[in-house]
Structure formats: structure tokens, C-alpha cells
Amino acid sequence: MKKLLASTAMLATLALAGCTSTGTGTTTGTTASTAMTTASSIGMNIFTSAIDTQCRSEIEKQNAWRVASVAMTDAQQETVKTNVCGCVSEQAPQQVTMIELGNAAIDSSYRTELVATVVAKSLQSCYTSLVK
């Protein structure tokens, strides 16, 4: 609980820091905004990479995949995994808040739980939409 409170406080501080300016021009505010955007982008890239890894692992665990993959070449299997997990990774940002991403950046067990939840929500719908 302390980690959650600390990460939420840190995110609030960063968000508020982006709104402040000590200079007379807009350079400071722009720099803070750019830093926040960059940090957010890096965090999202790490998150989507974890989503892709988890997605590929979950696909391989499914019985339907085991049956279907027997009839596919390695290249076909990789193409299907790439398409399905690409879809899951695209849906991931709509399913998490900045606070959840901040908490995931600080707490590895929370990150694991969040990634598993997002993959579970998206995997079946993406697989179904791409197989049709």
C-alpha cells in the first residue's frame, strides 16, 4: 500500500511539475512537457514490450493453439503470433491509466499483474478478429 501511495504521489508531483514555470518564457514549461512526454513514451514502450512477451507466452499455453500450430510452418506460427500480439499491444494503452503505468514502473509484481490482466482482456478478442 505504501508503494502505491508513493508512486501515486510521485506521478502527481511529476504532473504538477510539468505545469510550473520558473522562467519568463515558455521554454521551461515546454521542457517539462517534453520530459513528461518522453518519460511517458518510454514507459509505454516498456509496457507494450511486456505485453507482447506475455501474449506470446499465453498463446503457446492454449490448447487451440497447440492443435492449430501443428498444421503451420514456423513462419506461419510467427506471423499469427505477431498479428495477434500486435493487436493486443495496440489495445493495451486504452486499458490502463497513467497511474497504473506509474505503479507498474515502480512495483514489478504490480507490473506482472497488470500485464497479465491486459493480455487476458484482449487476447481472445484479437485472436478471434484476426482468424476470421
Side-chain angles (χ1 to χ4, degrees), residues 51-70:
I51 292 288
D52 186 71
T53 302
Q54 178 72 24
C55 176
R56 289 172 184 273
S57 174
E58 288 300 316
I59 285 176
E60 291 175 1
K61 291 178 186 177
Q62 294 185 357
N63 289 332
W65 172 256
R66 290 182 187 144
V67 171
S69 65
V70 171

Side-chain angles (χ1 to χ4, degrees), residues 20-75:
T20 63
S21 174
T22 57
T24 57
T26 59
T27 306
T28 304
T30 303
T31 302
S33 176
T34 302
M36 287 295 293
T37 302
T38 302
S40 176
S41 178
I42 291 170
M44 188 54 73
N45 287 340
I46 292 169
F47 181 68
T48 54
S49 176
I51 292 288
D52 186 71
T53 302
Q54 178 72 24
C55 176
R56 289 172 184 273
S57 174
E58 288 300 316
I59 285 176
E60 291 175 1
K61 291 178 186 177
Q62 294 185 357
N63 289 332
W65 172 256
R66 290 182 187 144
V67 171
S69 65
V70 171
M72 294 184 223
T73 66
D74 288 343

Side-chain angles (χ1 to χ4, degrees), residues 40 43-45 47-48 51 88-104 110-111 113-119 121-122:
S40 176
M44 188 54 73
N45 287 340
F47 181 68
T48 54
I51 292 288
V88 171
S89 294
E90 286 175 14
Q91 289 184 5
Q94 289 90 31
Q95 296 184 22
V96 295
T97 65
M98 288 303 290
I99 292 173
E100 289 173 323
L101 282 177
N103 291 337
Y110 183 82
R111 179 175 48 249
E113 181 182 319
L114 182 62
V115 166
T117 301
V118 170
V119 170
K121 287 181 183 178
S122 304

